[in-house]
Amino acid sequence: MPSKISAIFSNIQRAFNDKKYKEVVEQVDTAIDLAKSHNERFIVAKLYDMKVKSYRLIDLPARAHETLTEFHSFIEQYKNVESAIWFHLCAVNLWESGSSSIDSIVHRHVKKALNYGAQTTDPNLKRRVYGTMSSYLMNVGEYERACDYLELAFFYAQLTVEQGQAEESVVYSMMVDLVYLNTVLKRFSITNSINAVVYQHMDAMSSYQKGVILQNCGYLLMK
């Protein structure tokens, strides 16, 4: 990747991580054009993803939808599975905070992402697809199926870490969700076992994840 694109992308990613969403949308179009000119499709997809999320987070859903349509037009040039996955996951991110957790738009895009996820060989994309499916099923109360998909996501998360595509914290993040799901399903022996492993790695957790783990610890002690 050219150093200029890398530097601009890093700045936008930093602004997004710092929740400076207006700054993201002010800078992202120039970065997208530059990445397109160098055929950096993965970077283009990431930039569009941040642009859609930023518009949604500053409460401009119409602009987010417009951006999603623009992104779709771009990836239709490339008839490959990875581009299709990015589009449908981006669509889920756009609509996940809609009026209903069982919004038919979310369901449609999650299912499409899942179909494409079965075709890709990229473990990081598989992790995202199965993780998204699990989150969707959790939202609609299908905890058994959610757990099945999360276990698949966890398997691929481990592969992404082994291949250097992701930080180890992603593994523990998914283990936190597995603790939660198995607690909901009243599978306490499984929950306790996973919980014990995650508890040893609290330094890799976000404050939210630590809270979930401590909450589940208390719940299991009560049992």
Side-chain angles (χ1 to χ4, degrees), residues 183 188 191-192 195 199 213-223:
T183 300
F188 301 121
T191 305
N192 222 349
N195 204 72
Y199 197 76
I213 287 297
L214 293 171
Q215 180 183 348
N216 279 298
C217 277
Y219 185 73
L220 289 168
L221 285 171
M222 287 168 62
K223 290 291 178 182

Side-chain angles (χ1 to χ4, degrees), residues 24-189:
V24 171
V25 298
E26 287 169 359
Q27 299 178 18
V28 72
D29 287 337
T30 300
I32 287 171
D33 289 342
L34 186 61
K36 282 181 179 179
S37 69
H38 286 84
N39 201 31
E40 293 283 352
R41 283 176 282 169
F42 180 77
I43 294 298
V44 171
K46 287 285 288 182
L47 289 166
Y48 270 119
D49 191 45
M50 284 190 282
K51 186 179 178 182
V52 170
K53 289 178 182 177
S54 294
Y55 275 131
R56 183 169 58 78
L57 289 164
I58 58 179
D59 200 24
L60 292 172
R63 296 300 300 274
H65 189 273
E66 179 183 67
T67 300
L68 187 64
T69 303
E70 181 187 338
F71 178 47
H72 193 192
S73 298
F74 167 71
I75 63 169
E76 279 188 326
Q77 303 172 66
Y78 304 98
K79 303 296 184 182
N80 61 64
V81 173
E82 283 71 20
S83 290
I85 290 172
W86 271 106
F87 169 64
H88 294 297
L89 290 178
C90 194
V92 171
N93 287 329
L94 171 61
W95 291 107
E96 65 187 358
S97 298
S99 59
S100 171
S101 62
I102 55 172
D103 192 318
S104 61
I105 296 173
V106 174
H107 178 73
R108 183 169 78 242
H109 288 298
V110 168
K111 291 289 285 183
K112 285 183 177 179
L114 185 64
N115 289 337
Y116 285 120
Q119 300 173 45
T120 183
T121 57
D122 185 339
N124 199 30
L125 283 175
K126 284 184 178 291
R127 170 187 71 83
R128 289 200 64 201
V129 167
Y130 293 134
T132 298
M133 187 64 175
S134 178
S135 297
Y136 169 75
L137 290 168
M138 275 193 270
N139 287 338
V140 299
E142 294 189 32
Y143 299 113
E144 193 84 41
R145 289 180 65 212
C147 198
D148 291 341
Y149 279 107
L150 188 57
E151 286 172 352
L152 274 173
F154 177 60
F155 170 77
Y156 286 108
Q158 292 176 88
L159 283 184
T160 65
V161 171
E162 287 175 11
Q163 294 178 5
Q165 292 189 61
E167 299 293 328
E168 196 173 8
S169 59
V170 74
V171 169
Y172 299 121
S173 174
M174 290 199 165
M175 291 180 81
V176 169
D177 290 335
L178 282 169
V179 167
Y180 169 74
L181 277 174
N182 281 291
T183 300
V184 169
L185 293 168
K186 297 183 171 24
R187 299 193 290 215
F188 301 121
S189 60

